[in-house]
Amino acid sequence: MISAEIYTQSDGKIAAFVLRGHNDGGKGGHGYNVHCAEVSALSQSAHFGIRKYLNREVAAENHEHGGLGIELKEAPDELTEAVFQTMMIGLREIEKISPQAVKIEMREMDKSAEENLQSKIKSMKPSPVRDLPKLNISDVKIRADIYLNDEKKIVGFSIEERKNKAKEFKIYRAGIWILVKSAFSCVKDYLKHDLRFKNEPRRLVVKLKSSPDEVTEAVFQTMLIGLLEIEKKVPQVVKVEEKIISEVK
């Protein structure tokens, strides 16, 4: 089982998290199991969103095979919360569908929780990541178009998948879909932005009805960073393209 400990400040905003463990998928190891792939995509994207996009410093950080723990150095704000909520929406969805795969524990950051957090992060022991499953496909199966306005802010996206039955492909696609659907749900249900969208089997198209702001950009950039990481590792699975547009059809 994957353990997700989420640490919040008194105002409810997330200040830290520790994810450890694996969902037993038979072969074991990162990338061999759908739920491991989903959790990895969510947590790594949140990590990169905080560090690479928001450029926030962390007070503590450590990795291990199948694990990640980080703590913000400064108090969380609406931008860090949007990034973390993108991850949380996906984790809660996995827990709801497969409670034996992920267990989420929320803890308010008091002295005891802080000591527990520091202990968990320090005890992580980095180890080499195992090779990801080999893919025997010749062309890209998922296309991700990121729609930008003239100011290069993200106003929407479309994800479209060509069906493929390969077991290994299903593992990679799981990470992609949980990430984009979590970003969609975060903007729609958590941030309460009005959207135009089409949610069809193997296709999702989303566009803001109003102008993007800093918070929607944080969510979309977190998603984009995650997609680009997956593209870098397995370019035959997903192709990401940014497009400046005036309208999403």
Side-chain angles (χ1 to χ4, degrees):
M1 174 177 283
I2 299 168
S3 169
E5 293 185 4
I6 313 299
Y7 296 81
T8 63
Q9 301 285 7
S10 57
D11 62 0
K13 287 187 173 64
I14 297 171
F17 69 81
V18 177
L19 297 175
R20 303 188 80 171
H22 288 286
N23 178 235
D24 185 6
K27 292 184 178 180
H30 172 77
Y32 286 111
N33 177 273
V34 164
H35 295 312
C36 280
E38 290 173 330
V39 172
S40 178
L42 292 166
S43 61
Q44 290 293 336
S45 296
H47 175 230
F48 291 144
I50 293 293
R51 296 296 305 274
K52 293 185 177 182
Y53 177 68
L54 296 181
N55 294 314
R56 301 299 168 86
E57 295 185 9
V58 295
E61 175 182 354
N62 204 354
H63 307 253
E64 66 182 12
H65 179 54
L68 170 63
I70 67 170
E71 179 186 9
L72 294 175
K73 187 173 184 179
E74 304 295 338
D77 54 36
E78 64 175 357
L79 296 180
T80 61
E81 188 65 11
V83 171
F84 284 139
Q85 285 298 328
T86 303
M87 178 186 75
M88 286 301 301
I89 287 168
L91 291 177
R92 289 192 178 107
E93 184 65 19
I94 299 167
E95 185 182 46
K96 181 174 69 175
I97 294 171
S98 186
Q100 76 278 9
V102 178
K103 180 181 179 181
I104 300 172
E105 181 181 356
M106 306 296 296
R107 300 193 64 176
E108 187 171 337
M109 189 77 88
D110 55 18
K111 183 178 180 180
S112 173
E114 176 72 28
E115 291 174 353
N116 179 70
L117 169 66
Q118 293 293 332
S119 175
K120 290 285 179 68
I121 291 179
K122 288 179 181 178
S123 69
M124 288 183 164
K125 298 178 180 179
S127 57
V129 177
R130 299 176 190 178
D131 290 337
L132 297 173
K134 302 297 183 182
L135 276 170
N136 185 25
I137 56 177
S138 58
D139 53 350
V140 174
K141 297 301 179 185
I142 297 177
R143 175 172 177 161
D145 291 333
I146 310 299
Y147 301 122
L148 311 175
N149 63 13
D150 291 334
E151 298 175 343
K152 302 293 181 70
K153 299 294 184 182
I154 299 176
V155 295
F157 63 87
S158 71
I159 308 293
E160 189 162 3
E161 174 191 338
R162 295 173 59 191
K163 192 173 182 179
N164 187 282
K165 295 182 179 180
K167 178 182 178 181
E168 294 80 4
F169 173 72
K170 291 179 181 179
I171 291 170
Y172 292 112
R173 76 179 290 277
I176 293 169
W177 279 107
I178 195 74
L179 182 56
V180 298
K181 288 189 174 182
S182 295
F184 167 50
S185 295
C186 187
V187 174
K188 177 177 174 289
D189 300 322
Y190 174 72
L191 299 178
K192 305 294 185 183
H193 279 262
D194 288 333
L195 300 171
R196 289 199 296 273
F197 63 90
K198 294 180 181 179
N199 192 359
E200 304 169 346
R202 298 194 295 275
R203 184 171 183 256
L204 174 62
V205 183
V206 175
K207 185 178 186 296
L208 293 169
K209 285 186 177 181
S210 56
S211 298
D213 55 34
E214 286 186 329
V215 188
T216 61
E217 188 69 8
V219 174
F220 286 145
Q221 285 290 340
T222 297
M223 177 193 75
L224 176 57
I225 288 170
L227 290 174
L228 290 172
E229 284 295 311
I230 296 171
E231 181 186 42
K232 184 167 64 176
K233 293 176 182 177
V234 280
Q236 67 270 52
V237 170
V238 61
K239 172 65 177 176
V240 182
E241 186 173 349
E242 298 180 22
K243 296 181 176 181
I244 296 178
I245 62 160
S246 58
E247 187 67 30
V248 176
K249 298 182 180 179

